[in-house]
């Protein structure tokens, strides 16, 4: 019991900063309510001790709701597992797991820490009224060290809403108890303690002994679940080391759904151990605080009937020298009330353009709709065509064109958003003209003082390390696209200085990061001078000079081709940088490198984005990075990336190649209030020097993509809100 208590306490320490943002969301994510305000829970997909859809320790063929992100902590018999799982598509899910096994004396560690990845795909879904079950195929720990490596084919059949029966065949760990033979070949490489892992274990998938597993799950109520399971995992490695005793293949469990986001369970496993499992589930479509308090826009201002009031439709106002600045001041004030910064405007008798920076809404379409309402309210009736140009810190991105008469005709129609979408045009935006700038806007200065956190995960001695401090940021913009930015940090508390500096066969371009965290006092995080502009013909350019990030300073140049109506974008970046002194002052160390990439970006629709970067990395290695992200309409984003270079797995070290997952959650999902701020992080199983890329602020693609056709279309449903 003492060991169990210690390990449960260790779970809290292990999760730490990695799950902090998620736990805050769970605490505030009360159960959904119906139209009368009553809580509605309903059965949720059960997550097993590996953090994926399953029974207790075995998988099932069920899936989580599309887009669901879950975080789970499970413990039994000295085995602690922390898992993040994401339902990538309605049928495909992926998991990242960090485990600790107390007493598993392998590779020189009293407690063996392990990182592993899973993939599973539901090849067949049970249909209502049909006899066939759901069927899934899974790969467990398929690029880790292999301690949890296993594959499975599993079927699950539900009978009503209360009873689900599961049965499957497993290989690897899942074929180690009472196996019936090796249907696809006898050969399977054994787990090697101390292996650096990180390589695809294709030669062992579905090889070696196989065994049956299965179980039954019963939900007598919406909240309560009872599970009986037959496990095919003999836990040979753990029992050989005396971690726990495997007496029986049968496991029993009871689970309780606390609310729509949280589930807790207690279990009796393998005839000898008591276990617990705590799981939090989050879905972009199930906000912690629904957007119930957002400002409601005023009805669209309609023009007077032209046949009855022809004098109000005159264009004589354009000849009045006082009209333009007066209308500009009114536009500026009204747009500011809608969270839009007016940068420039150009007024004509029949057409008008405004250039805005969206400072409030995560949805660009919502910002466009609010801005069009302001133009309809303020501009004279003769102005029929509205041009709204989207800007990002002075960079002109794209221009959306809409007819005023279309807005007036469609606002009250039942399919107003779809009808307006078919009539709106989008085009590349030319650079901003000096004479169109809002008087008195430039130069402009902005600053903020906020707390910050910096974390490191998966150090075997200290699985979670974190610093907390203050960050003072400032920016000074001379003219659109010309700016100076800087940030100072001061660490208040933390233990990142205890992180180990890992030896490396490559130049220490990232493995010496802990040295930068040992600095006391004020640190110069960044200080840059940059210029970004629209070059015409769908090209954008950027130059950034200075202290680009905590570890490097130099010069970065970028060129991007991104047509406003194309799903494809191409870019190139070249940097010359030097490694900074570890005190993060103004000095540099004796290491410099030319690094850069050519990049291809493609919007696959339905929120999926793929990116391929090929070039030279900070350690001088050559290779490519493939990234896949899924972005939801409310701003949620979850993705993964992997980098392969000409560095061998041996020279790269633990992990064999660079890879990781990342997620970003809009603050509005938690608060219910419009905001462009997000919280999130990038999680790497291990940080090494191979495949390390420079962190350049304000790369062009993410800035330009906000104003592109596909991104606007994805959010168009909010244009009238």
């Amino acid at each position: 019991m003492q060991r169990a208590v210690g390990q449960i306490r260790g779970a809290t320490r292990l999760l730490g900063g990695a799950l902090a943002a998620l736990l805050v969301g769970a605490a505030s994510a009360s159960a959904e309510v119906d139209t009368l305000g009553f809580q509605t829970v309903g059965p949720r997909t059960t997550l097993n001790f590996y953090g994926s859809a399953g029974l207790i320790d075995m998988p099932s063929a069920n899936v989580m709701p599309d887009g669901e992100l879950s975080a789970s902590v499970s413990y039994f018999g000295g085995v602690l597992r922390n898992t993040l799982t994401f339902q990538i598509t309605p049928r495909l899910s992926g998991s990242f797991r960090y485990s600790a096994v107390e007493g598993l004396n392998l590779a020189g560690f009293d407690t063996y820490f392990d990182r592993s990845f899973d993939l599973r795909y539901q090849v067949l879904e049970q249909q209502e009224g049909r006899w066939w079950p759901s069927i899934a195929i899974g790969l467990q720990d398929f690029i880790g060290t292999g301690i949890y490596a296993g594959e499975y084919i599993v079927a699950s059949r539900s009978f009503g809403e209360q009873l689900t029966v599961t049965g499957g065949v497993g290989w690897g760990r899942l074929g180690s108890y009472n196996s019936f033979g090796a249907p696809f070949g006898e050969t399977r490489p054994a787990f090697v303690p101390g292996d650096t892992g990180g390589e695809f274990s294709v030669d062992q998938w579905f090889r070696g002994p196989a065994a049956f597993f299965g179980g039954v799950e019963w939900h007598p109520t919406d909240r309560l679940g009872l599970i009986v399971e037959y496990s095919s995992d003999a836990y040979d490695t753990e029992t050989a080391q005396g971690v726990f005793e495997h007496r029986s293949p049968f496991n029993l469990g009871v689970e309780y759904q606390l609310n729509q986001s949280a589930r807790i369970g207690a279990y009796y496993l393998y005839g000898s151990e008591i276990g617990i499992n705590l799981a939090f589930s989050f879905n972009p479509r199930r906000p912690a605080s629904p957007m119930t308090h957002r400002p409601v826009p005023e009805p669209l201002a309609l023009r007077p009937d032209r046949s009855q009031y022809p004098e109000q439709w005159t264009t004589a106002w354009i000849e009045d020298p006082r009209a333009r600045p007066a209308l500009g001041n009114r536009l500026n004030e009204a747009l500011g009330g809608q969270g839009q910064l007016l940068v420039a405007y150009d007024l004509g008798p029949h057409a008008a353009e405004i250039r805005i920076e969206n400072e409030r809404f995560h949805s660009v379409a919502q910002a466009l709709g609010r801005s069009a309402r302001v133009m309809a309210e303020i501009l004279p009736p003769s102005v029929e065509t509205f041009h709204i140009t989207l800007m990002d810190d002075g960079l002109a991105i794209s221009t959306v064109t809409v007819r005023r008469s279309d807005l007036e005709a469609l606002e009250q129609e039942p399919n107003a958003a779809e009808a307006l979408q078919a009539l709106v045009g989008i085009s590349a935006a030319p650079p901003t003209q000096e004479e169109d700038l809002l008087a008195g806007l430039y130069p402009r200065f902005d600053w903020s003082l906020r707390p910050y956190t910096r974390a490191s995960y998966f150090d075997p001695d200290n699985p979670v390390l974190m610093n907390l401090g203050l960050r003072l940021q400032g920016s000074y913009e001379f003219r659109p696209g010309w700016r100076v930015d800087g940030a100072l940090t001061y660490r208040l508390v933390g233990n990142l200085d205890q992180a180990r500096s890992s030896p490396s066969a490559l130049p220490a371009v990232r493995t010496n990061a802990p040295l930068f965290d040992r600095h006391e006092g004020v640190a110069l995080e960044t200080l840059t001078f940059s210029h970004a502009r629209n070059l015409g013909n769908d090209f954008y350019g950027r130059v950034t000079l200075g202290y680009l990030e905590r570890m490097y300073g130099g010069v970065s140049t970028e060129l991007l081709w991104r047509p406003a109506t194309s799903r494809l974008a191409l870019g190139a970046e070249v940097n010359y940088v030097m490694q900074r002194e570890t005190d993060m002052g103004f000095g540099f160390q004796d290491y410099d490198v030319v690094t850069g990439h050519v990049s291809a970006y493609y919007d696959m629709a339905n929120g999926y984005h793929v990116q391929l970067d090929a070039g030279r990395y900070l350690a001088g290695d050559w290779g490519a990075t493939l990234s896949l992200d899924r972005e939801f309409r409310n701003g949620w984003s979850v993705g993964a990336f992997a980098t392969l270079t000409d560095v061998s797995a041996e020279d790269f070290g633990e992990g064999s190649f660079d890879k990781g997952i990342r997620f970003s959650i809009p603050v509005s999902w938690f608060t219910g209030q419009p905001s462009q701020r997000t919280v999130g992080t990038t999680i790497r199983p291990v940080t090494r020097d191979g495949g390390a890329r420079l962190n350049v602020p304000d790369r062009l693609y993410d800035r330009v993509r906000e104003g592109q056709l596909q991104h606007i279309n994805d959010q168009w449903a909010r244009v009238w809100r």
Side-chain angles (χ1 to χ4, degrees), residues 158-191:
S158 295
F159 299 90
E161 296 184 355
Q162 294 182 318
L163 185 66
T164 301
V165 178
T166 292
V169 180
W171 288 260
R173 286 195 70 115
L174 304 182
S176 58
Y177 184 85
N178 199 19
S179 62
F180 60 81
F184 301 130
E186 295 286 349
T187 304
R188 185 182 185 98
F191 165 65

Side-chain angles (χ1 to χ4, degrees), residues 343-371:
V343 176
Y345 63 97
D346 183 25
L347 307 179
H350 303 294
E353 179 191 11
I354 60 172
R355 297 197 164 210
I356 59 169
E357 292 187 1
N358 174 27
E359 297 183 324
R360 175 179 297 172
F361 301 107
H362 199 280
S363 168
V364 176
Q366 192 170 5
L368 290 170
R370 295 295 181 98
S371 299

Side-chain angles (χ1 to χ4, degrees), residues 288-336:
S289 296
M291 296 284 283
T292 56
H293 305 294
R294 58 175 177 265
V296 178
E298 296 291 332
L300 187 77
L302 302 179
R303 290 175 290 182
D305 186 274
R306 188 169 189 172
S307 61
Q308 297 185 31
Y309 304 96
E311 71 281 358
Q312 296 190 31
W313 286 71
T314 178
T315 61
W317 62 271
I318 199 70
E319 305 296 333
D320 186 349
R322 298 169 297 178
R324 183 184 186 278
L327 288 171
N329 289 335
R330 291 181 62 195
L331 285 169
N332 182 41
E333 182 178 355
L335 287 167

Side-chain angles (χ1 to χ4, degrees), residues 551-571:
M551 296 181 65
Y552 290 92
V555 59
S556 173
T557 61
E558 184 182 5
L559 181 67
L560 178 72
W561 174 77
R562 180 60 155 104
T565 58
S566 173
R567 294 182 184 273
L568 176 68
L570 301 174

Side-chain angles (χ1 to χ4, degrees), residues 430-454:
T432 305
Q433 300 299 314
E434 188 78 18
E435 61 270 20
D436 294 337
L437 289 174
L438 183 70
L441 181 61
Y442 293 95
R444 56 176 176 163
F445 174 72
D446 190 23
W447 70 278
S448 65
L449 178 63
R450 293 174 180 166
Y452 79 90
T453 60
R454 183 173 294 113

Side-chain angles (χ1 to χ4, degrees), residues 579-628:
Q579 190 170 87
R580 298 175 59 183
E581 292 286 359
T582 57
D583 62 1
M584 285 181 288
F586 293 102
F588 291 94
Q589 301 183 50
D590 188 21
Y591 180 80
D592 65 302
V593 63
V594 176
T595 177
H597 293 77
V598 293
S599 302
Y601 314 85
Y602 191 74
D603 189 330
M604 302 169 65
N606 298 318
Y608 294 96
H609 303 271
V610 64
Q611 177 177 339
L612 179 64
D613 305 293
R616 194 178 193 222
Y617 295 83
L618 284 171
D621 48 331
W622 294 82
T625 300
L626 180 64
S627 306
L628 177 64

Side-chain angles (χ1 to χ4, degrees), residues 209-233:
F212 294 111
F213 63 85
V216 177
E217 184 175 0
W218 178 47
H219 288 274
T221 72
D222 283 349
R223 293 178 181 266
L224 182 65
L226 304 174
I227 306 173
V228 178
E229 172 189 84
Y230 174 84
S231 171
S232 58
D233 190 343

